[in-house]
Amino acid sequence: MECSVAAHQNVQRQEAEQRASKVTWRERLYRWRQLRRERYALRHLSDDMLKDIGLSREAIQREAHRPFWDDRGWRR
């Protein structure tokens, strides 16, 4: 009996992980829009502000020129 309960819980956990790992198009579009806003905001920070957060103007330029769909670290 314990084996079947554990097996059932394992199946439920796997199904929940599969649902969580799927990203809908709506979520993806929202994330791309968010990235665009963040990169835009970074481009307009002053050099003093960038220094405060430990970023260089060159790093910001590289980040700003990345395409909106280039999102390392986001769920795929």
Side-chain angles (χ1 to χ4, degrees):
M1 186 71 168
E2 284 182 33
C3 184
S4 64
V5 171
H8 180 68
Q9 289 174 343
N10 191 24
V11 168
Q12 285 180 331
R13 185 172 43 252
Q14 287 174 349
E15 289 173 354
E17 288 172 359
Q18 287 175 350
R19 282 191 304 271
S21 68
K22 293 182 182 177
V23 178
T24 66
W25 276 105
R26 181 179 293 190
E27 291 171 322
R28 194 174 304 270
L29 290 172
Y30 177 81
R31 176 63 181 158
W32 288 345
R33 187 173 177 209
Q34 179 184 9
L35 276 173
R36 184 175 173 264
R37 285 192 311 262
E38 289 172 1
R39 290 173 180 164
Y40 180 83
L42 279 173
R43 277 196 314 256
H44 292 88
L45 291 178
S46 70
D47 289 334
D48 290 334
M49 290 177 157
L50 292 176
K51 186 178 178 182
D52 287 345
I53 61 175
L55 296 173
S56 67
R57 179 63 59 191
E58 294 80 27
I60 297 304
Q61 291 301 324
R62 281 193 308 271
E63 182 67 24
H65 286 95
R66 286 174 51 195
F68 66 89
W69 62 85
D70 185 7
D71 182 19
R72 288 180 237 141
W74 177 246
R75 307 182 288 170
R76 299 193 195 285

